[in-house]
Amino acid sequence: MTDSIAPPKKPQIFPPLDREAELDRLAARMRAASGVGLQVLGLIGTQAENLIEMLPAQVRSGLERATAAALEQSFNAAAATRRGRIADAPDWLTRAIAIGTGAAGGFGGLPSALAELPVTTTIILRAIQTIADEHGMDPALPDVRAACLRVFAAAGPLDNDDGVDLSFLTMRLTVTGSAVHGLIAKVAPRLAVPLGQKLAAQAVPVIGAAAGAATNYVFTSYYQDVARVQFGLMRLGAQTGEDMDVLTADLRKRLT
């Protein structure tokens, strides 16, 4: 008995894009991504800048290290699910799974929220890889793997500054083989802040499970939207021959 081999995937053919209309569409999506975090802040009754101060000092001091560890685990785990031909999930299913893990993480307070961190990070990274594939890019290629991880360098759903800070879109990141440590070292400090906010929301007494579920929904939705902005710009750049710096500058004008 021989193993069955899946037929090669047919290349995706995309219609030509109207540059200005596509940039308008991506700007609208970026605005939507930046607005979803208000739900969580309303639920826990605090401001985004106060969330990390709610964490114990020991957790705050180890946030960047915990973030890097979560990214290390997620980077390979998410890719392995694609090699194992686990079907890509639609957005709603990915968010539903993330809601479940967030509720479980928040139910036990900070210890369970910390344990849940790499699981949710893997779910989100797998969703980002799916979106790259939707845009005709192979998540197995080093440059695309780097682009998937670069999405995590966005400011986060509880920060309302994304309309101006699009620097993550032009971060120069490359992956050569399995050497991802340098890449993660660049992304982890930026991701540590939103993940710290997520942990703090899940650790709120009494409503931890509800806050965990809501936070994971918001985070998953946010990074899916940001991924579609990034890979939309990359696809537009491939069609027009323009550099990401130029396209990002034009996108920023629409947001400011």
Side-chain angles (χ1 to χ4, degrees):
M1 180 177 176
T2 58
D3 292 335
S4 61
I5 299 175
K9 191 173 180 180
K10 292 182 179 179
Q12 300 179 63
I13 300 174
F14 299 98
L17 296 170
D18 180 303
R19 182 188 188 278
E20 301 307 312
E22 181 66 3
L23 285 172
D24 287 343
R25 187 186 70 81
L26 294 175
R29 186 174 282 279
M30 195 71 208
R31 286 192 200 96
S34 302
V36 294
L38 296 177
Q39 305 165 47
V40 171
L41 295 177
L43 176 66
I44 60 181
T46 189
Q47 299 296 313
E49 56 269 20
N50 298 331
L51 275 170
I52 292 185
E53 296 304 316
M54 297 165 59
L55 293 171
Q58 184 178 4
V59 175
R60 291 201 304 272
S61 64
L63 259 180
E64 192 172 318
R65 187 170 61 252
T67 300
L71 284 174
E72 290 271 8
Q73 294 178 48
S74 302
F75 192 82
N76 293 318
T81 63
R82 293 190 63 86
R83 288 196 300 270
R85 293 195 178 94
I86 296 176
D88 291 338
D91 284 2
W92 68 266
L93 181 56
T94 299
R95 292 170 189 174
I97 295 169
I99 287 170
T101 59
F107 184 78
L110 193 54
S112 61
L114 279 166
E116 171 259 331
L117 201 59
V119 178
T120 296
T121 306
T122 301
I123 291 169
I124 296 173
L125 184 53
R126 179 65 164 78
I128 292 169
Q129 291 174 344
T130 298
I131 291 165
D133 196 25
E134 286 175 6
H135 287 75
M137 299 168 200
D138 184 356
L141 295 177
D143 286 349
V144 180
R145 294 185 82 193
C148 289
L149 203 52
R150 186 170 57 211
V151 172
F152 282 121
L158 304 186
D159 190 306
N160 60 7
D161 202 28
D162 276 60
V164 177
D165 183 13
L166 298 177
S167 59
F168 71 95
L169 289 170
T170 53
M171 287 180 70
R172 305 305 181 196
L173 303 176
T174 56
V175 179
T176 304
S178 60
V180 299
H181 300 289
L183 179 66
I184 286 172
K186 291 182 180 180
V187 174
R190 299 187 65 151
L191 181 59
V193 173
L195 284 192
Q197 294 170 332
K198 170 178 141 55
L199 286 173
Q202 287 177 279
V204 173
V206 183
I207 63 168
T215 303
N216 271 22
Y217 173 82
V218 166
F219 269 68
T220 304
S221 301
Y222 172 82
Y223 287 113
Q224 285 174 322
D225 280 340
V226 170
R228 286 197 165 89
V229 171
Q230 174 178 257
F231 291 114
L233 278 183
M234 289 173 67
R235 186 171 68 187
L236 182 61
Q239 287 198 6
T240 64
E242 293 178 272
D243 190 80
M244 280 287 285
D245 290 323
V246 174
L247 293 172
T248 300
D250 281 359
L251 180 63
R252 183 179 286 110
K253 290 176 185 176
R254 286 164 166 78
L255 291 167
T256 55

